[in-house]
């Protein structure tokens, strides 16, 4: 069964534990060492920010960037890994301080386009056609600071620029409603796919759904995934968990709401996700209190919980399900689901 689903995560998921209230608590793990951990933990795909692959990219010429990315590709090949996607990290650079694609300053918007071109180059060198757009600072702290109508047009232009620059790349938009911004543009998969439909090549634009982001929008992650699956637009997921409406927690998958996790797995099963060849990505953070030698358990545990839930979905008695649905006895169905999850 493990063979049917392919798993991925990004190097940022093995991290030093800093939070807004305190410094790092674990020392950095070098990229070369992280890469060696993937296969051991049952992961085949690496998710990248552009500068995860080429950290000093802002100081390098395009040809140098491509060469450095090609070296990373060789490292991946050596480990039997593949790059799943590359995401432009627009939110750490000074020019991205007020959003990049939707910045009021045209110089910042221009920088974001050039950076996008380099992101596409890196994706090519790493051997993936998938770009992920998490639109971190594309939004506002206060509504009056931007013309939101213009901002959405800028976003459409930015996506079109990507599509024009590289006719082979595909783009998965990762919606999130807030954090770091008070409100972000494209807060849900509905928004993301609406704008996708208006691009110059809608078939090359889809979505990545993160559990926590859907929950922060007050939505059910499994229904968000179902919406995208029904349109053939679920191109990756960032599974994790979230304990209510607060900061983006990136908890271990299933750790806060096991039933919610069961339903996300169920919808991936119903949608035939493994056959699409797409990855099950985990965007999870270790607790700050976790000691270094066990600070990857959030990843391996999330994978284990996912696979346990695949088993739970597949072994849920179909006759019980069908009978409850036929009788419209959803109380009975609810009890059956809970008892199944409890192993009764
Ligand atoms: C933020 C996120 C990000 C994105 C990542 C790739 C740090 O809430 O989820 O993870 O997933 O930047 O796009
Ligand atoms: Mg994410």
């Amino acid at each position: 069964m493990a063979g049917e689903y392919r798993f991925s995560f990004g190097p940022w998921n093995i991290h030093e534990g800093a939070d807004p209230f305190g410094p790092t608590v674990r020392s950095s793990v070098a990229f070369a060492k992280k890469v060696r951990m993937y296969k051991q933990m049952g992961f085949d795909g690496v998710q990248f920010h552009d500068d995860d692959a080429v950290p000093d990219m802002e100081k390098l010429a395009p040809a140098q960037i491509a060469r450095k990315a090609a070296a990373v590709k060789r490292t991946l090949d050596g480990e039997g890994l593949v790059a799943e996607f590359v995401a432009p990290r627009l939110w750490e650079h000074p020019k991205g301080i007020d959003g990049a694609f939707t910045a009021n300053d045209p110089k910042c918007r221009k920088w974001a386009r050039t950076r996008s071109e380099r992101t596409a180059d890196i994706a090519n060198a790493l051997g993936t056609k998938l770009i992920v757009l998490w639109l971190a600072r594309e939004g506002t702290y206060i509504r009056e600071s931007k013309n939101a109508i213009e901002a959405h047009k800028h976003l459409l232009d930015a996506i079109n620029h990507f599509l024009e620059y590289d006719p082979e790349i595909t783009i998965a938009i990762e919606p999130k409603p807030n954090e770091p911004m008070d409100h972000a543009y494209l807060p849900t998969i509905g928004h993301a796919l609406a704008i996708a439909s208006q691009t110059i090549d809608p078939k090359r634009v889809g979505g990545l759904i993160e559990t926590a982001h859907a929950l922060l929008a007050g939505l059910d992650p499994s229904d968000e995934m179902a919406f995208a699956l029904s349109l053939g637009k679920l191109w990756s997921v960032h599974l994790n968990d979230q304990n209510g409406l607060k900061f983006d927690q990136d908890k271990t998958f299933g750790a806060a709401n096991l039933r919610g996790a069961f339903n996300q797995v169920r919808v991936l099963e119903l949608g035939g996700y493994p056959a699409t060849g797409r990855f099950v990505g985990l965007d999870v953070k270790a607790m700050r209190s976790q000691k270094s030698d066990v600070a990857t358990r959030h990843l391996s545990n999330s994978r284990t919980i996912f696979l346990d839930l695949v088993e739970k979905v597949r072994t849920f008695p179909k006759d019980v399900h069908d009978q409850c649905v036929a009788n419209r006895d959803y109380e009975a169905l609810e009890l059956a689901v809970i008892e199944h999850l409890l192993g009764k």
Side-chain angles (χ1 to χ4, degrees), residues 12 49 85 87 91 132 134 174 176 210 213 238 248 283:
W12 65 88
H49 294 114
F85 68 67
W91 55 92
V132 164
W134 171 50
E174 179 181 351
K176 183 179 181 183
E210 171 158 331
H213 297 180
H238 266 172
D248 184 3
D283 201 2

Side-chain angles (χ1 to χ4, degrees), residues 46-57:
V46 184
Q47 306 181 335
F48 285 93
H49 294 114
D50 48 9
D51 59 1
D52 288 322
V54 186
D56 41 2
M57 63 182 288

Side-chain angles (χ1 to χ4, degrees), residues 218-297:
L219 297 168
D220 182 84
S222 71
D223 280 348
E224 291 286 273
M225 289 173 191
F227 175 70
L229 282 165
S230 74
L231 300 172
K233 292 290 193 181
L234 189 65
W235 293 353
S236 191
V237 291
H238 266 172
L239 300 183
N240 55 27
D241 214 348
Q242 176 71 23
N243 202 3
L245 293 179
K246 51 183 97 177
F247 63 94
D248 184 3
Q249 292 186 294
D250 295 337
K251 289 167 85 73
T252 289
F253 182 57
N257 185 342
L258 192 59
R259 174 99 173 261
F262 172 77
N263 278 306
Q264 288 166 70
V265 175
R266 177 172 173 268
V267 96
L268 294 176
E269 286 278 293
L270 288 173
Y273 192 77
T276 68
R278 303 273 179 187
F279 279 96
V280 172
L282 296 163
D283 201 2
V284 287
K285 282 200 181 70
M287 288 177 243
R288 191 165 191 269
S289 46
Q290 194 72 353
K291 291 182 182 165
S292 295
D293 57 339
V294 282
T296 54
R297 293 287 160 84

